[in-house]
Amino acid sequence: MAKMNLLQAVNNALDIAMAADDKVICFGEDVGSFGGVFRATSHLQEKYGRDRCFNTPLVEQGIIGFANGLAAQGSRAVAEIQFADYIFPAFDQIVNESAKFRYRSGNLFDVGGLTIRTPYGGGIAGGHYHSQSPEAYFAHTPGLKVVVPRNPHQAKGLLLASIRDPNPVVFFEPKRIYRASVGEVPEEDYQLPLGEAEVTREGSDITLLAWGAQMEIIEKAAEMADKDGVSCELIDLRTILPWDVDTVAASVQKTGRLLISHEAPLTGGFAGEIAAAIQERCFLYLESPIARVCGLDTPYPLALEKEYMADHLKVYEAIKASVQF
Amino acid sequence: MAKMNLLQAVNNALDIAMAADDKVICFGEDVGSFGGVFRATSHLQEKYGRDRCFNTPLVEQGIIGFANGLAAQGSRAVAEIQFADYIFPAFDQIVNESAKFRYRSGNLFDVGGLTIRTPYGGGIAGGHYHSQSPEAYFAHTPGLKVVVPRNPHQAKGLLLASIRDPNPVVFFEPKRIYRASVGEVPEEDYQLPLGEAEVTREGSDITLLAWGAQMEIIEKAAEMADKDGVSCELIDLRTILPWDVDTVAASVQKTGRLLISHEAPLTGGFAGEIAAAIQERCFLYLESPIARVCGLDTPYPLALEKEYMADHLKVYEAIKASVQF
Amino acid sequence: MSTATRERAVHQLEFMRGDELQIPTYKVVKQDGTPYKGAQVPDLDQALALKIYRSMARTRVLDERMLAAQRQGRLSFYMQSTGEEATTVGFAAALEDDDMIMAQYREQGALVFRGFTLDEFMNQLFSNEQDYGKGRQMPIHYGSRQLHYMTISSPLATQIPQATGYAYGQKLAGDKRCTVTVFGEGAASEGDFHAALNMASVLKVPVIFLCRNNGYAISTPSSEQFAADGIAPRALGYRMHAIRVDGNDVLAVYAAMQEARRLAVEENEPVLIEAMSYRLAAHSSSDDPSGYRSKKEEEKWREKDPLVRFKNWLLKRKWWSEEEDSALFERERQAVLEALKAAEHRPAPMVDEMITDVYDQPTAHLTEQLEQLKAHIRRYPDAYPKTSGRIDHG
Amino acid sequence: MSTATRERAVHQLEFMRGDELQIPTYKVVKQDGTPYKGAQVPDLDQALALKIYRSMARTRVLDERMLAAQRQGRLSFYMQSTGEEATTVGFAAALEDDDMIMAQYREQGALVFRGFTLDEFMNQLFSNEQDYGKGRQMPIHYGSRQLHYMTISSPLATQIPQATGYAYGQKLAGDKRCTVTVFGEGAASEGDFHAALNMASVLKVPVIFLCRNNGYAISTPSSEQFAADGIAPRALGYRMHAIRVDGNDVLAVYAAMQEARRLAVEENEPVLIEAMSYRLAAHSSSDDPSGYRSKKEEEKWREKDPLVRFKNWLLKRKWWSEEEDSALFERERQAVLEALKAAEHRPAPMVDEMITDVYDQPTAHLTEQLEQLKAHIRRYPDAYPKTSGRIDHG
Ligand SMILES: Cc1ncc(C[n+]2csc(CCOP(=O)(O)OP(=O)(O)O)c2C)c(N)n1
Ligand SMILES: Cc1ncc(C[n+]2csc(CCOP(=O)(O)OP(=O)(O)O)c2C)c(N)n1
Ligand SMILES: [Mg+2]
Ligand SMILES: [Mg+2]
């Protein structure tokens, strides 16, 4: 085991993947000799050469178009989009191409080797365009997998699994905790399963569900609630698509309550999908409405970021409202 | 009043808007002298000149980028995207630019004059790329309005309102019923309100909610249910964003049941948002889980389109399941 | 630092627009089949020449018959490539069989040349259970792994940067193979075009960009698509090798592609080829060009028929005769009709195929959706005739 | 029909790559302030020359002080334009005050020239309640309706097609005004660049595309951004007027923009100007260039300081003296510091501003979200110190 922060864990996963398989190729804006603006690809060009780790021109639609072709050819294309806010120029290549490549060809061709890594989320004084959490845009797209890790250990295992998964994966990295989240990470090669949520804390009164950097927030809120004698069960969804409805439903059938929290705006966010599916599965078990604590329905602000965010206090208040319903 | 089909109603609305205001400008692929591949812009170039109705080069991101600039300048830019399936290259210009233009500038600048018209939806043997219903991708984007008309009368009134609304609007036109939907349409200039749902049929046992071409489907299902003695209340949401939660909640508080149907895949579709919001507002009124009858979670198929679609039989079965819960 | 400039200073204000830049069109033979004076005629033997011609002929017949079938309501949709067969067959003929082709949708000539059978065409066109694409895409969205022909997808230009990526993989693998991507002059307006060419030239990738400039994108004439002299001058903006060829002259297309392939494979130099031609037919079976262009204009181009031109050359060489020609066309017509008849009655794919290939394996959630769907079809078998008969067996 | 070609046939296979195409750089004065021999020096009077110089000086000082303030933790983020002031001030000086500017983010020089006050800069940089942008975007995202300067947005290149659209509107309105959009050589790789230039040249729009080629996009040198000789050759692919200028020579930039404006406004001809310069500072306050380029390279460019060059010219003309220069810089430093101090303590925008401007009017739904938020802040006033104090009054 080694102590790593989340960035180091990502870097370590890429290093292991490239060492283990010549077909793994990393690229994107500034990812070459510089190692990426967050340094997630540090030293990879040095180790594996300019052919396997390189800068691209500044064109996201090109990066993912290129990556789709490279994956179709049989390589494991690991493309970085510098900020998730800048993934939208590549939206067509992802939603119309990556997601539908296998299906439309009847499995003659696929881009299963594709992984798109991108830092997402707020809380870093980034305003509109360095703060977005666009996972829901992708979660409405059959054919994609969407993964978000919450800490270094998860990041390494889930990224290795994503790179090797035979389906295109959009891998969102919680940049607010890139350096703040530090933990023990096995040095060896390991994978964590995609499509499986994890119960990170058991409890009996209410289920709190989140992913990525938001896990920290719901943990903090759960501790506050604990002091009030409210026992929270915590679930990290980990994979947003395809998502693990069974684990969530089992938990809600036990606790009778569900709160979902994400950073993205409320309306049309993925919490809506979860709430809809769970009210259907757990209708007779629910003791209060499923609560959603999310970003406001505005673009991401700067000066009033603190007010905007779904913080632990808002989650805590929502827990109270739910148990007192 | 005149008998018009939905396409004629759209064309008539554009004609009236252009006649009434010099600042209305229509453009897109093939919309010029040809009048668009569906002929929605027929004769507009003839009437208003090449400066105000013209072909663009084949580049959706350019069309909407151009439209954003034109709207910022003070024109009423009415851009056509030939099929909603091809709107994704413009996703960045819509989601990062149109939607945030006013907010980010503190109202110094805005693109309120922008309207994006685009035919959406399946049932026309179009396969993956001439069938999609991407409204949910836009409904997660504060700053946009998203509108879908169900018939010629609605199309004209809602399109005129959209063009004149001081906010950017994505206007989805149900192409399956472009010609099939025929009805009486006032010849004069009129507008129907954005942001308001409409109860198109009153009932007492269950609320059925849809929009666009799907309204026909739930009407047919409601007739079948009627024969079983189940009284359905029908609501056309009309505006997907911002949506009219009050009208829907009032109806569900009356009927105790809600079924939402849309063409797009289930997961991450807008029905999820509605279900999540309504279970919160109407928790104590709900007699059965909110049902969603939607497309399967696959890309849009061709040969098995009939099987894929959320048709009246599937809606009818879901009504029965809901009332028998 | 690295601003690419080999700086040369001037002190007078002078704008340039490239008007001096004239990109000529490479042509080998005239319409009557005689080579232009001093023309560089590519070296190809009779077998290959006839294979090319037969492929062009089959493409022509296929297009004619299938449009007719569409008009009869036997087929939902079709797209002809009439007038452009020299381009689509000629480029394929200059490639190795396992060079990758990533085309737009009007390149059936290349598939014919590579040996896609009439049955294979028909199965796709009729979305039947033998369609490799499992009946999921509209007619003309062919693909063949065996023939290194990427399945067509409707969104325009998306395949262009993909070709750059595919070729990058070929280069890294040391395959000595290239990727050819084909697209229209309309599609070249998309942002993906710019991305693809710039990336290819920076990354030195063995990819060939073949633009079919056929004058129209649906109803939009190229004069409303771009203001420049075609697409070829754009290559210079990327410092990429470029050539313009007469797209109705199969020998010119063949020769240009041969040399382009050499540049790509041996020197990792991407190349842009602009093939000048004309879309003689409607854009698709849904289109009627009389709304946007004149019969006269069409007639002018009909006289430049690429099949006639190449046939004339073959006749002059005595590699072919009018008798053989009539027999060939007759045979092809028969063959197409037979294949059509066989394919149109094959059943649709099983309902189970609805959820395969979304992922490598169906997820639990998809399996559940399929089971619900099957239960529903069993309840209303008449409403879903394509699948209900084979839902519980087969 | 309309394939744009003025056809010229050739019969030998020949590829071109544009290597013969050499785009020179227009320069007016040398670093020591003397004009090049025979140079075409633009005609500008002393008042304008000094206004340009003072704007360059203020920009330089602002950049220096604000980076220092960022380093002191008084500011979250900053971006310097050091080394590029001749480009950003020079282009603005050649425009009419109500020509529209749609810039990228490193063009504060143009804003200074147009009279954006130090207070206005500071209010934006400190996201306070007087920021026109209501504290919603990161520092340096300035905008001014009064000064016809479009609010900056972070996504690169999006403003380029927007400029084409804006200019189209100006043309239709008969304004006799143009739009200038500025962007980096990195941003020029985006698909939006291609879309914008092609549309502008087809639609004949009074727009000027000013590319600041400063050698880098963050860490990526232009040699990994494109393979061609800079950005200017791309214009020829759209049949658009183009010129390359020495971006460190304010007179060259001014002269080129003046003529470009004439072409745009009088002839509806879009123009591309490529200004060659160098990003002397780090990309932003978050960046450290020592990881990707040498001090030596930076030094080489520091010697080409555009302020020194223009000052030398002014000195030679006796329009300016070293004494005036020192006094100017001293005054500017003071003024910047005063404005900074005043702005940094102004309060943040009210919480009510959270929901304004999402739409022209707050929706019922947003009003409800705001009310809930206010109730929450009242419950935990200490957790939201920026807004809690002013939530029930003000
Ligand atoms: C992204 C996208 N936008 C629009 C369309 C609709 N469309 C299909 S073909 C076509 C015209 C293409 O013209 P061109 O590229 O010149 O090819 P050609 O048909 O002439 O062979 C259009 C606009 C599409 N398929 N994809
Ligand atoms: C669409 C998009 N992708 C990536 C970024 C991140 N980014 C900000 S500035 C920059 C480099 C821009 O370089 P250039 O255009 O040359 O301008 P310069 O900084 O040199 O002035 C990058 C990659 C962004 N803002 N927007
Ligand atoms: Mg064409
Ligand atoms: Mg730069």
Side-chain angles (χ1 to χ4, degrees):
Chain A
M1 293 285 233
K3 256 209 155 43
M4 291 185 195
N5 66 28
L6 208 153
L7 262 176
Q8 290 163 330
V10 165
N11 184 252
N12 184 237
L14 294 172
D15 193 354
I16 288 175
M18 292 183 86
D21 182 357
D22 273 2
K23 294 217 149 287
V24 177
I25 300 174
C26 296
F27 49 92
E29 294 158 16
D30 301 294
V31 311
S33 68
F34 188 55
V37 295
F38 290 103
R39 324 309 302 271
T41 55
S42 278
H43 303 298
L44 299 179
Q45 185 174 87
E46 249 164 86
K47 282 195 181 171
Y48 303 102
R50 296 177 72 96
D51 279 352
R52 292 184 55 207
C53 176
F54 54 91
N55 289 340
T56 60
L58 208 171
V59 52
E60 292 77 12
Q61 66 191 112
I63 294 171
I64 304 303
F66 178 94
N68 276 330
L70 188 57
Q73 177 269 342
S75 299
R76 301 220 153 260
V78 183
E80 176 177 307
I81 296 295
Q82 203 162 79
F83 287 87
D85 312 70
Y86 304 135
I87 202 167
F88 300 125
F91 203 71
D92 187 52
Q93 281 285 351
I94 300 172
V95 160
N96 262 345
E97 293 290 316
S98 313
K100 300 174 175 61
F101 219 94
R102 190 193 297 272
Y103 196 77
R104 75 187 180 201
S105 73
N107 204 26
L108 283 185
F109 299 97
D110 70 83
V111 296
L114 172 66
T115 303
I116 302 172
R117 295 179 38 249
T118 188
Y120 85 95
I124 60 152
H128 294 29
Y129 297 118
H130 297 84
S131 305
Q132 292 177 56
S133 297
E135 69 275 6
Y137 290 115
F138 299 95
H140 186 41
T141 313
L144 298 179
K145 294 195 176 181
V146 180
V147 177
V148 196
R150 72 175 177 278
N151 66 25
H153 177 260
Q154 293 285 318
K156 179 172 172 180
L158 290 171
L159 181 53
L160 278 164
S162 296
I163 293 171
R164 292 156 181 173
D165 189 87
N167 298 287
V169 177
V170 186
F171 189 83
F172 287 105
E173 300 172 3
K175 65 175 176 294
R176 180 169 66 75
I177 57 171
Y178 253 163
R179 293 190 176 83
S181 178
V182 177
E184 292 294 333
V185 176
E187 273 158 286
E188 72 273 9
D189 190 335
Y190 67 94
Q191 298 179 39
L192 295 172
L194 305 189
E196 290 184 20
E198 187 185 10
V199 178
T200 62
R201 176 208 282 222
E202 306 216 349
S204 53
D205 296 330
I206 182 170
T207 302
L208 310 185
L209 174 66
W211 49 86
Q214 202 65 8
M215 284 306 295
E216 226 186 27
I217 307 287
I218 63 169
E219 276 159 24
K220 226 163 149 185
E223 275 156 35
M224 290 175 74
D226 208 37
K227 296 199 179 107
D228 300 344
V230 178
S231 159
C232 302
E233 177 143 314
L234 265 60
I235 301 181
D236 176 2
L237 193 59
R238 300 201 291 188
T239 298
I240 311 299
L241 189 76
W243 68 287
D244 183 358
V245 62
D246 291 336
T247 296
V248 180
S251 173
V252 175
Q253 284 171 12
K254 184 177 76 175
T255 63
R257 293 185 170 86
L258 176 62
L259 179 156
I260 312 155
S261 182
H262 58 57
E263 294 190 35
L266 177 85
T267 298
F270 201 65
E273 175 60 35
I274 298 169
I278 294 300
Q279 64 86 32
E280 195 182 346
R281 292 242 189 171
C282 307
F283 189 71
L284 299 174
Y285 297 85
L286 282 172
E287 290 168 38
S288 63
I290 298 170
R292 294 184 291 166
V293 183
C294 303
L296 266 67
D297 282 318
T298 74
Y300 205 100
L302 182 78
L304 305 187
E305 173 170 49
K306 230 179 148 25
E307 283 74 4
Y308 175 85
M309 288 172 73
D311 65 9
H312 62 287
L313 297 173
K314 294 183 187 172
V315 175
Y316 170 64
E317 287 298 321
I319 294 171
K320 285 201 296 189
S322 180
V323 295
Q324 286 159 16
F325 181 79
Chain B
M1 295 283 235
K3 254 208 158 42
M4 290 186 197
N5 66 28
L6 208 153
L7 261 175
Q8 289 163 331
V10 165
N11 183 252
N12 183 239
L14 294 171
D15 193 353
I16 288 175
M18 291 183 87
D21 182 357
D22 272 1
K23 293 217 147 288
V24 177
I25 300 174
C26 296
F27 50 93
E29 294 158 14
D30 302 295
V31 312
S33 70
F34 188 55
V37 294
F38 289 103
R39 322 309 302 270
T41 54
S42 278
H43 302 299
L44 299 178
Q45 185 175 85
E46 249 165 84
K47 281 197 184 170
Y48 303 102
R50 297 177 71 95
D51 279 351
R52 292 185 56 208
C53 176
F54 53 91
N55 288 341
T56 61
L58 207 170
V59 53
E60 292 77 10
Q61 66 192 106
I63 293 171
I64 304 302
F66 177 94
N68 276 330
L70 187 57
Q73 178 270 341
S75 299
R76 303 222 150 258
V78 184
E80 175 177 308
I81 297 293
Q82 202 163 80
F83 286 87
D85 313 69
Y86 304 134
I87 203 168
F88 300 123
F91 203 71
D92 187 52
Q93 282 285 352
I94 300 172
V95 161
N96 263 344
E97 295 289 318
S98 314
K100 301 175 174 60
F101 218 94
R102 188 193 298 271
Y103 195 77
R104 74 185 181 204
S105 73
N107 205 26
L108 283 185
F109 299 97
D110 69 82
V111 296
L114 172 66
T115 302
I116 302 172
R117 297 178 37 248
T118 188
Y120 85 95
I124 60 151
H128 294 30
Y129 297 117
H130 297 83
S131 305
Q132 292 177 57
S133 298
E135 67 275 6
Y137 290 114
F138 298 94
H140 185 40
T141 312
L144 298 180
K145 295 195 176 179
V146 179
V147 177
V148 195
R150 73 174 177 278
N151 67 25
H153 177 260
Q154 293 284 319
K156 178 172 173 181
L158 290 171
L159 181 53
L160 278 165
S162 296
I163 291 171
R164 291 154 180 175
D165 189 86
N167 298 287
V169 178
V170 186
F171 189 85
F172 287 105
E173 300 172 1
K175 66 176 175 293
R176 181 170 64 76
I177 56 171
Y178 256 163
R179 293 192 176 81
S181 178
V182 178
E184 292 294 333
V185 176
E187 272 157 286
E188 71 273 11
D189 189 336
Y190 66 95
Q191 298 180 39
L192 294 171
L194 305 190
E196 290 184 21
E198 186 185 12
V199 177
T200 61
R201 174 208 283 222
E202 306 216 350
S204 53
D205 297 329
I206 183 169
T207 303
L208 310 186
L209 174 66
W211 49 86
Q214 202 64 10
M215 284 305 295
E216 223 186 30
I217 307 287
I218 63 169
E219 276 160 24
K220 223 161 149 185
E223 276 157 34
M224 289 175 74
D226 208 37
K227 297 204 176 104
D228 299 343
V230 178
S231 160
C232 301
E233 176 142 314
L234 265 58
I235 302 182
D236 176 1
L237 193 60
R238 300 201 291 188
T239 297
I240 311 298
L241 190 76
W243 67 286
D244 182 358
V245 62
D246 291 337
T247 298
V248 180
S251 172
V252 175
Q253 284 172 13
K254 182 176 78 175
T255 63
R257 294 185 169 86
L258 176 61
L259 180 155
I260 313 155
S261 182
H262 59 58
E263 293 191 36
L266 177 86
T267 298
F270 201 66
E273 175 60 36
I274 298 168
I278 293 301
Q279 65 86 32
E280 197 183 345
R281 293 242 187 171
C282 307
F283 189 73
L284 299 174
Y285 298 84
L286 282 171
E287 290 169 39
S288 64
I290 298 169
R292 295 184 291 166
V293 184
C294 304
L296 266 66
D297 282 317
T298 74
Y300 206 102
L302 182 79
L304 305 187
E305 173 168 49
K306 229 178 148 26
E307 284 74 5
Y308 175 85
M309 288 173 73
D311 64 11
H312 63 287
L313 297 172
K314 293 182 187 172
V315 174
Y316 170 63
E317 288 298 320
I319 294 170
K320 286 201 293 188
S322 181
V323 295
Q324 286 158 16
F325 181 78
Chain C
M1 113 99 192
S2 45
T3 37
T5 331
R6 304 141 296 167
E7 200 180 61
R8 182 169 70 85
V10 291
H11 310 299
Q12 297 294 315
L13 198 57
E14 233 175 80
F15 288 75
M16 58 197 302
R17 196 167 70 162
D19 289 333
E20 63 285 8
L21 210 150
Q22 268 243 8
I23 301 200
T25 306
Y26 172 60
K27 295 167 176 281
V28 174
V29 297
K30 301 182 199 155
Q31 189 64 21
D32 68 6
T34 54
Y36 284 96
K37 223 175 94 185
Q40 182 176 347
V41 182
D43 186 30
L44 78 177
D45 62 23
Q46 181 174 3
L48 179 57
L50 290 183
K51 184 175 175 194
I52 291 172
Y53 184 68
R54 288 197 184 101
S55 300
M56 290 169 72
R58 169 166 290 186
T59 306
R60 176 68 57 93
V61 170
L62 182 67
D63 283 350
E64 280 171 9
R65 291 297 116 181
M66 296 320 292
L67 186 77
Q70 195 280 336
R71 290 284 178 259
Q72 294 164 357
R74 294 161 83 177
L75 192 64
S76 64
F77 179 82
Y78 193 73
M79 287 183 107
Q80 300 181 285
S81 63
T82 310
E84 298 182 66
E85 299 94 339
T87 301
T88 60
V89 174
F91 92 82
L95 299 178
E96 292 297 317
D97 282 347
D98 50 356
D99 288 333
M100 188 68 196
I101 297 177
M102 297 174 79
Q104 180 159 306
Y105 50 57
R106 212 183 288 285
E107 296 80 7
Q108 45 265 47
L111 260 178
V112 168
F113 183 86
R114 285 210 167 164
F116 204 61
T117 66
L118 289 174
D119 285 336
E120 289 176 308
F121 275 107
M122 294 302 162
N123 292 331
Q124 200 289 326
L125 292 169
F126 286 99
S127 305
N128 67 34
E129 62 170 2
Q130 289 182 29
D131 169 22
Y132 300 137
K134 303 185 185 168
R136 290 172 183 154
Q137 288 200 86
M138 284 175 71
I140 69 96
H141 289 66
Y142 314 112
S144 169
R145 181 147 200 104
Q146 204 192 328
L147 301 179
H148 301 271
Y149 194 95
M150 181 63 73
T151 301
I152 300 302
S153 94
S154 319
L156 287 167
T158 51
Q159 82 280 13
I160 316 180
Q162 290 169 12
T164 301
Y166 201 101
Y168 189 87
Q170 291 173 312
K171 172 176 145 181
L172 250 59
D175 284 352
K176 289 284 163 203
R177 288 294 171 272
C178 68
T179 299
V180 179
T181 179
V182 194
F183 49 88
E185 89 293 340
S189 292
E190 293 280 8
D192 275 357
F193 166 89
H194 175 55
L197 271 76
N198 189 40
M199 290 182 79
S201 71
V202 177
L203 297 170
K204 299 219 146 290
V205 165
V207 60
I208 298 162
F209 301 100
L210 172 60
C211 179
R212 294 185 291 96
N213 184 341
N214 63 8
Y216 287 90
I218 309 185
S219 78
T220 304
S222 56
S223 58
E224 297 178 29
Q225 195 67 245
F226 46 75
D229 171 27
I231 303 297
R234 294 185 197 167
L236 314 184
Y238 307 107
R239 199 129 180 260
M240 183 184 291
H241 294 276
I243 192 169
R244 172 176 287 151
V245 300
D246 183 334
N248 284 23
D249 182 346
V250 73
L251 293 167
V253 173
Y254 176 82
M257 184 54 79
Q258 232 183 4
E259 174 58 11
R261 185 179 189 281
R262 196 196 60 72
L263 282 163
V265 172
E266 290 176 26
E267 303 182 20
N268 284 317
E269 288 286 346
V271 182
L272 174 70
I273 302 178
E274 182 179 20
M276 309 304 293
S277 186
Y278 187 82
R279 196 198 75 210
L280 266 178
H283 170 69
S284 74
S285 57
S286 317
D287 176 47
D288 172 11
S290 69
Y292 53 83
R293 68 186 192 190
S294 68
K295 282 274 163 230
K296 212 175 122 206
E297 178 186 298
E298 291 177 12
E299 279 319 317
K300 207 189 80 193
W301 277 92
R302 218 174 288 284
E303 283 159 25
K304 302 185 190 180
D305 189 325
L307 266 72
V308 174
R309 186 152 163 194
F310 192 44
K311 184 180 79 174
N312 285 341
W313 186 75
L314 293 171
L315 293 174
K316 289 223 154 61
R317 298 208 98 176
K318 310 262 187 266
W319 284 356
W320 193 243
S321 68
E322 290 288 6
E323 297 67 45
E324 284 170 300
D325 204 57
S326 313
L328 171 67
F329 275 86
E330 189 45 40
R331 232 172 27 242
E332 288 298 334
R333 268 182 218 115
Q334 282 307 326
V336 167
L337 285 178
E338 269 162 40
L340 190 160
K341 276 187 205 143
E344 69 185 335
H345 298 302
R346 284 188 196 116
M350 302 276 290
V351 70
D352 303 72
E353 294 292 6
M354 192 94 131
I355 63 153
T356 58
D357 308 332
V358 180
Y359 298 96
D360 65 313
Q361 299 293 336
T363 60
H365 172 71
L366 281 169
T367 305
E368 194 185 313
Q369 291 194 340
L370 178 65
E371 289 315 316
Q372 285 167 3
L373 174 61
K374 283 182 168 180
H376 180 76
I377 296 174
R378 279 187 206 104
R379 201 170 294 130
Y380 297 99
D382 297 346
Y384 308 95
K386 273 196 190 167
T387 48
S388 54
R390 300 198 299 156
I391 203 162
D392 293 311
H393 44 79
Chain D
M1 112 98 190
S2 46
T3 37
T5 328
R6 301 142 296 166
E7 200 178 62
R8 184 170 69 85
V10 290
H11 310 299
Q12 297 295 314
L13 198 55
E14 232 175 83
F15 288 76
M16 58 196 302
R17 198 168 67 161
D19 289 332
E20 63 286 6
L21 208 150
Q22 268 244 7
I23 302 201
T25 307
Y26 172 60
K27 292 167 180 281
V28 174
V29 296
K30 300 183 200 157
Q31 189 64 21
D32 68 5
T34 54
Y36 284 95
K37 225 176 90 182
Q40 181 176 347
V41 183
D43 186 29
L44 76 180
D45 63 22
Q46 182 173 1
L48 179 56
L50 291 184
K51 182 174 177 194
I52 291 173
Y53 183 66
R54 288 197 185 100
S55 300
M56 290 170 71
R58 170 166 288 188
T59 306
R60 175 69 56 91
V61 171
L62 182 69
D63 282 352
E64 279 171 8
R65 292 297 116 181
M66 297 320 292
L67 186 77
Q70 195 280 335
R71 290 285 178 257
Q72 293 164 359
R74 294 161 82 178
L75 193 65
S76 64
F77 177 83
Y78 194 73
M79 286 182 108
Q80 301 181 284
S81 63
T82 311
E84 298 181 66
E85 299 92 340
T87 302
T88 59
V89 174
F91 92 81
L95 299 179
E96 293 296 318
D97 282 349
D98 51 354
D99 287 333
M100 188 68 196
I101 297 177
M102 298 175 78
Q104 181 160 305
Y105 49 58
R106 213 184 287 286
E107 296 80 7
Q108 46 266 47
L111 260 178
V112 168
F113 183 86
R114 286 210 166 165
F116 204 60
T117 67
L118 290 175
D119 285 337
E120 289 177 308
F121 276 107
M122 294 302 160
N123 292 332
Q124 200 289 324
L125 291 170
F126 287 99
S127 305
N128 67 34
E129 63 170 3
Q130 289 182 28
D131 169 23
Y132 300 138
K134 303 186 186 168
R136 289 170 184 157
Q137 287 201 86
M138 285 175 71
I140 68 94
H141 289 66
Y142 314 111
S144 169
R145 181 149 199 104
Q146 202 192 329
L147 301 178
H148 301 272
Y149 193 95
M150 181 62 73
T151 301
I152 300 300
S153 95
S154 317
L156 287 167
T158 50
Q159 82 281 13
I160 317 180
Q162 289 170 13
T164 301
Y166 201 102
Y168 189 87
Q170 291 173 312
K171 172 175 144 180
L172 250 60
D175 284 351
K176 288 285 164 202
R177 287 295 171 269
C178 68
T179 298
V180 179
T181 178
V182 194
F183 49 89
E185 88 294 339
S189 292
E190 293 280 8
D192 275 358
F193 166 90
H194 175 56
L197 272 77
N198 189 40
M199 289 181 78
S201 71
V202 177
L203 296 170
K204 298 218 148 289
V205 166
V207 59
I208 298 162
F209 302 100
L210 172 60
C211 179
R212 294 184 292 95
N213 184 340
N214 62 6
Y216 287 91
I218 308 186
S219 77
T220 303
S222 56
S223 59
E224 297 178 29
Q225 194 67 246
F226 46 75
D229 171 25
I231 303 298
R234 293 185 198 166
L236 313 186
Y238 307 108
R239 196 128 181 261
M240 182 184 292
H241 294 275
I243 191 168
R244 172 176 288 151
V245 300
D246 183 336
N248 284 25
D249 183 347
V250 72
L251 293 167
V253 174
Y254 176 82
M257 184 55 79
Q258 231 183 3
E259 174 60 10
R261 185 178 189 282
R262 196 195 61 73
L263 282 164
V265 172
E266 290 175 24
E267 302 182 21
N268 282 318
E269 287 287 345
V271 182
L272 174 70
I273 302 179
E274 181 180 22
M276 308 304 293
S277 186
Y278 188 81
R279 196 197 75 212
L280 267 177
H283 170 70
S284 74
S285 57
S286 316
D287 176 46
D288 171 11
S290 69
Y292 53 82
R293 68 187 191 187
S294 69
K295 283 274 161 227
K296 215 176 116 204
E297 179 186 297
E298 291 177 10
E299 279 320 316
K300 209 188 82 195
W301 277 91
R302 218 173 289 283
E303 283 159 24
K304 303 187 189 177
D305 188 325
L307 266 72
V308 174
R309 186 154 163 191
F310 192 44
K311 185 180 76 174
N312 286 340
W313 186 75
L314 292 171
L315 292 174
K316 288 224 154 64
R317 298 210 100 175
K318 309 262 187 264
W319 284 357
W320 194 242
S321 69
E322 289 290 4
E323 296 66 45
E324 286 171 297
D325 205 57
S326 310
L328 171 67
F329 275 87
E330 190 43 41
R331 233 174 23 243
E332 289 297 334
R333 268 181 216 115
Q334 283 306 328
V336 167
L337 285 178
E338 270 163 39
L340 189 161
K341 275 186 208 145
E344 68 185 337
H345 298 302
R346 282 186 197 118
M350 303 276 290
V351 69
D352 303 71
E353 294 292 6
M354 192 95 130
I355 63 154
T356 57
D357 309 331
V358 180
Y359 297 96
D360 65 315
Q361 300 294 335
T363 60
H365 173 70
L366 280 169
T367 305
E368 194 185 314
Q369 291 195 339
L370 178 65
E371 289 314 318
Q372 286 167 2
L373 174 61
K374 283 183 168 180
H376 180 74
I377 295 174
R378 279 187 205 104
R379 201 171 293 130
Y380 296 99
D382 297 347
Y384 308 95
K386 273 195 189 168
T387 46
S388 53
R390 300 198 300 156
I391 204 163
D392 292 311
H393 44 82

